[in-house]
Amino acid sequence: MSEREDRFFAAVAARHLVRPSVRAIVVHDSSVLVQRPADSAPGGNYAFIGGEYEAGDTFESRLRQEIEEETTACLVSWRYLFVVENRFVHAGRRIHALEHYVWATLDTIEVKSREGHIVQEWLPLDTLGSVDLRPFAVRDVLANGHLEQVRHLVVDGWSE
C-alpha cells in the first residue's frame, strides 16, 4: 500500500464509524475497469471506482461525482447489484465499510485519470482470480460470473 493510502485508512479508522460507499463495476469486451495508486506497480492493489457518501448523496450523485472527478469519463447508466459488509485490518487498524456495488456504463472506454495519485486500467475478466483486486469476495463473484446471484456479501477480515 502507498503512504497516501496508509494516511487515508488511518483517518477512516480514527473516526470509529462504518464507512458507506458506492462502487462501480464497469465491464467492456470481457475486461473490468479498476484503479490503483499511481505509486504502486501495475498488477496489484486495485480497487473499483467509487467513493464514500457525503451528506445529501444518492447512489447516482456520488457515483457520478467520483467518476467525473477521478476519470475523463461520465456515467451514462447504472443498476444496483449488491452490498458488501467489509471488515478488514489495515496497518493494525480496524476498518468497517458498507459498500454498495452497481453495474455502470460510461460514455467512453478511453478512460484516463484526472487525478495524479491514481491510474485506471482495464483488466481481463479471465485473469481476475490472480489479481490483487479488493475486496476479494467481489473480485471472485465477478470472475466467476455470479454477479446476478449475489445480493449481500460479508467479508469478516477482523476474525482472520
Side-chain angles (χ1 to χ4, degrees):
M1 293 272 179
S2 71
E3 184 178 322
R4 182 183 186 96
E5 285 178 305
D6 290 341
R7 288 192 312 270
F8 170 79
F9 284 120
V12 168
R15 295 185 312 196
H16 301 287
L17 297 171
V18 176
R19 180 178 182 259
S21 65
V22 62
R23 306 269 174 220
I25 296 178
V26 180
V27 175
H28 178 76
D29 281 345
S30 299
S31 293
V32 63
L33 183 63
V34 295
Q35 59 189 22
R36 65 175 170 79
D39 62 356
S40 69
N45 200 18
Y46 292 103
F48 295 94
I49 297 171
E52 185 174 8
Y53 280 91
E54 295 177 14
D57 279 346
T58 64
F59 288 148
E60 183 173 348
S61 68
R62 175 52 36 204
L63 193 58
R64 185 174 301 283
Q65 185 170 342
E66 292 294 331
I67 289 169
E68 291 177 9
E69 283 178 358
E70 296 176 357
T71 77
T72 56
C74 293
L75 180 67
V76 172
S77 65
W78 66 278
R79 172 175 61 86
Y80 190 83
L81 292 170
F82 54 83
V83 64
V84 177
E85 293 182 64
N86 190 7
R87 293 181 289 221
F88 60 97
V89 176
H90 178 82
R93 296 178 178 91
R94 287 181 164 201
I95 310 291
H96 189 174
L98 187 63
E99 302 166 355
H100 296 276
Y101 283 82
V102 304
W103 184 267
T105 305
L106 305 180
D107 67 339
T108 183
I109 59 167
E110 299 298 323
V111 180
K112 304 284 186 257
S113 182
R114 289 188 192 269
E115 298 184 352
H117 65 95
I118 54 175
V119 175
Q120 286 82 29
E121 294 179 25
W122 290 96
L123 299 179
L125 291 173
D126 62 0
T127 65
L128 281 188
S130 62
V131 175
D132 185 1
L133 174 57
R134 311 269 173 108
F136 294 141
V138 175
R139 176 203 66 189
D140 293 346
V141 296
L142 178 59
N144 294 329
H146 296 131
L147 286 180
E148 298 302 326
Q149 290 81 36
V150 175
R151 292 293 166 251
H152 178 212
L153 294 171
V154 177
V155 179
D156 190 3
W158 290 359
S159 62
E160 295 176 355

